[in-house]
Amino acid sequence: MTKISKRAESLGTENAFVVLAEVTALARQGKDIISFCIGQPDFPAPLHVQEAGIRAIREGKHGYTPSAGIDPLREAAAKYMAGMRGGLPIRPEDVVVGAGAKPFIAYDILSTTDHGAGDEVIYPNPGFPIYESQIVACGAKPVPVQLREARDFAFDPAELEKLITPKTKLLILNYPHNPTGGLLSKKDLQAIAAILQKHPQVWVYADEIYSRLCYSGEFFSIAQVPGMYERTIISDGASKTWAMTGWRIGFASNPVLAPVLTRWITNTDSCASQISQWAAVEAINGPQDAAELMKKSFFDRRNLILELLNKTPGVTCRTPGGAFYAWPNVTEACRMIGAADSEEFRKRLLHEAGVAVLADIHFGARVPGEGQHVRFSYAASNEAIEKGVARMADFIRRNTRKVA
Ligand code: PMP
């Protein structure tokens, strides 16, 4: 009898897609749902980028490209990534273009750990769920480092230090962070680098896909800390910065691993879409007004949702430093309405108030002692934010009265 492998059976997923299917089904039944589920910009790609894609089609750029990407994109991405990171010496040959930044998560784990050898990968919890699912699927051991609300959802470097063993091969960092919007300060990054100095076998995967959406000063990469450049894989891409999630273009850079990542691509996708690659060249080299406008708009919406959430009974929200996510603490709100946890809160909020959010458990095991959280993606209109949070406040008030 044919069987599915244990690996495939145990493969995790992004539960956001599961909730999204639930939301879509409700909307199809005619329910009025305001959704804060989707982690992508609510803008089209800039017009000049669209035109570059159309031009590539018309000019017959339809074939395979080298697995590492077309030279103009590797050159543009190298310059762009270096410019965003204090002039790091990133060369075009250090950059590999992928079908989004996501595939580099798996390629990187596959390139730095051995299957079943007990190799450990440390990753942020809560975090982008693909980290844990790919660590497990690749046959490594997942070791979560817990994010702390008191530190605005950064982890404590001292906690990280305790988790590192001789088996630790990779540390995944992500900031601005999905799902909390948290950052890692320069001071924390320096402390992390000092710890890693004692553990030279550890690579770092710096998931910097939200690097352009940083609201408190200039973005600073761990690769900029002396001694970290060679051992850090920097991952960035077109999805969030230029609203190009469906175009599927990401870029990763590392002077040692670039040829290895390229080989993975040859073994899987062959290359990213040539059309999208030419569009990404235009996104990077062309005018940046659309990207700047989007950033400004996300910043304004961050301020709006933060103010509204903090006025909501039983809800407190730390200021997210970047990306387009808010991660309010709803522990008290759960208590007020008699919800056992954030997942029950999320379900009732969806079915009784028509507001769709994700719960903390969609981003990993709940951190003991840190309470209950939900994630709002505020890549939604001001009107949706105002209406959605007002509905949530009404929902909490209405149900509090019933319990009391
Ligand atoms: N890393 C994080 C933290 C993300 O949130 C996402 C997208 N949701 C990705 C990687 C993947 O982005 P891409 O579209 O470039 O594959």
Side-chain angles (χ1 to χ4, degrees):
M1 206 175 81
T2 53
K3 265 176 51 184
I4 295 169
S5 70
K6 288 199 188 77
R7 170 186 290 163
E9 267 180 355
S10 67
L11 190 62
T13 186
E14 265 190 72
N15 277 310
F17 289 108
V18 179
V19 176
L20 212 60
E22 203 181 328
V23 173
T24 312
L26 285 173
R28 216 176 289 127
Q29 291 163 22
K31 294 255 163 66
D32 170 24
I33 309 280
I34 303 174
S35 178
F36 299 98
C37 286
I38 309 178
Q40 66 179 349
D42 57 336
F43 294 95
L47 250 177
H48 62 103
V49 172
Q50 298 180 29
E51 269 149 22
I54 293 165
R55 214 178 312 126
I57 295 174
R58 295 263 188 252
E59 287 174 1
K61 291 172 169 152
H62 302 176
Y64 293 126
T65 74
S67 290
I70 55 172
D71 284 343
L73 183 52
R74 295 178 83 189
E75 281 157 22
K79 209 163 144 206
Y80 169 72
M81 290 171 93
M84 283 283 299
R85 293 164 182 83
L88 285 174
I90 303 174
R91 305 163 305 173
E93 59 265 41
D94 303 329
V95 175
V96 181
V97 176
K102 194 188 237 178
F104 290 116
I105 297 169
Y107 299 151
D108 201 55
I109 299 166
L110 289 164
S111 302
T112 56
T113 63
D114 279 310
H115 189 279
D119 289 343
E120 295 167 7
V121 181
I122 302 178
Y123 65 101
N125 182 49
F128 189 42
I130 299 309
Y131 303 144
E132 185 182 342
S133 69
Q134 282 291 9
I135 295 165
V136 174
C138 295
K141 185 178 162 210
V143 180
V145 59
Q146 314 292 18
L147 305 190
R148 299 292 173 195
E149 183 155 9
R151 307 186 92 253
D152 286 332
F153 303 111
F155 59 80
D156 183 344
E159 283 189 53
L160 168 72
E161 184 157 29
K162 290 195 197 115
L163 298 174
I164 301 178
T165 75
K167 283 286 191 188
T168 308
K169 295 292 164 66
L170 179 64
L171 167 65
I172 298 176
L173 300 179
N174 169 223
Y175 57 93
H177 180 255
N178 178 9
T180 67
L183 302 175
L184 278 166
S185 68
K186 193 169 175 178
K187 192 164 156 253
D188 278 353
L189 291 168
Q190 284 163 338
I192 295 164
I195 293 163
L196 292 179
Q197 245 179 13
K198 294 179 248 170
H199 304 277
Q201 83 283 5
V202 182
W203 291 92
V204 175
Y205 182 75
D207 186 338
E208 300 179 353
I209 188 84
Y210 298 100
S211 58
R212 272 286 274 278
L213 299 175
C214 197
Y215 308 126
S216 55
E218 210 170 286
F219 179 79
F220 182 83
S221 171
I222 190 160
Q224 290 171 249
V225 182
M228 290 307 300
Y229 175 66
E230 302 276 327
R231 58 196 290 196
T232 302
I233 301 95
I234 303 169
S235 170
D236 204 331
S239 284
K240 317 287 172 172
T241 302
W242 296 285
M244 292 174 70
T245 48
W247 296 68
R248 308 310 301 134
I249 293 292
F251 14 90
S253 100
N254 181 270
V256 182
L257 282 187
V260 183
L261 298 174
T262 304
R263 229 178 305 141
W264 281 114
I265 293 177
T266 304
N267 276 272
T268 52
D269 301 319
S270 295
C271 62
S273 148
Q274 178 167 189
I275 298 155
S276 299
Q277 289 191 57
W278 287 106
V281 172
E282 174 61 25
I284 296 175
N285 290 342
Q288 295 301 302
D289 3 350
E292 288 309 313
L293 262 174
M294 283 190 269
K295 179 180 174 182
K296 167 83 175 64
S297 159
F298 287 135
F299 175 67
D300 291 344
R301 289 186 261 176
R302 190 235 15 207
N303 293 340
L304 174 66
I305 199 165
L306 187 66
E307 190 195 331
L308 296 174
L309 285 170
N310 278 317
K311 280 189 195 151
T312 302
V315 176
T316 56
C317 189
R318 294 262 172 171
T319 305
F324 35 70
Y325 304 114
W327 187 249
N329 186 322
V330 294
T331 313
E332 179 59 14
C334 287
R335 196 196 58 77
M336 287 162 72
I337 68 160
D341 61 9
S342 56
E343 175 63 356
E344 189 184 325
F345 181 88
R346 174 196 77 76
K347 283 193 180 145
R348 286 182 55 191
L349 186 64
L350 175 61
H351 291 276
E352 297 172 29
V355 179
V357 297
L358 298 176
D360 43 16
I361 54 160
H362 299 133
F363 301 92
R366 212 172 270 128
V367 182
E370 292 285 317
Q372 310 290 319
H373 297 81
V374 292
R375 189 193 80 170
F376 280 77
S377 165
Y378 56 80
S381 67
N382 282 351
E383 194 199 346
I385 292 171
E386 279 163 6
K387 221 165 127 188
V389 182
R391 278 190 192 182
M392 179 162 97
D394 277 354
F395 161 75
I396 295 169
R397 278 193 206 102
R398 237 180 15 244
N399 288 284
T400 303
R401 278 202 296 272
K402 265 187 221 154
V403 168

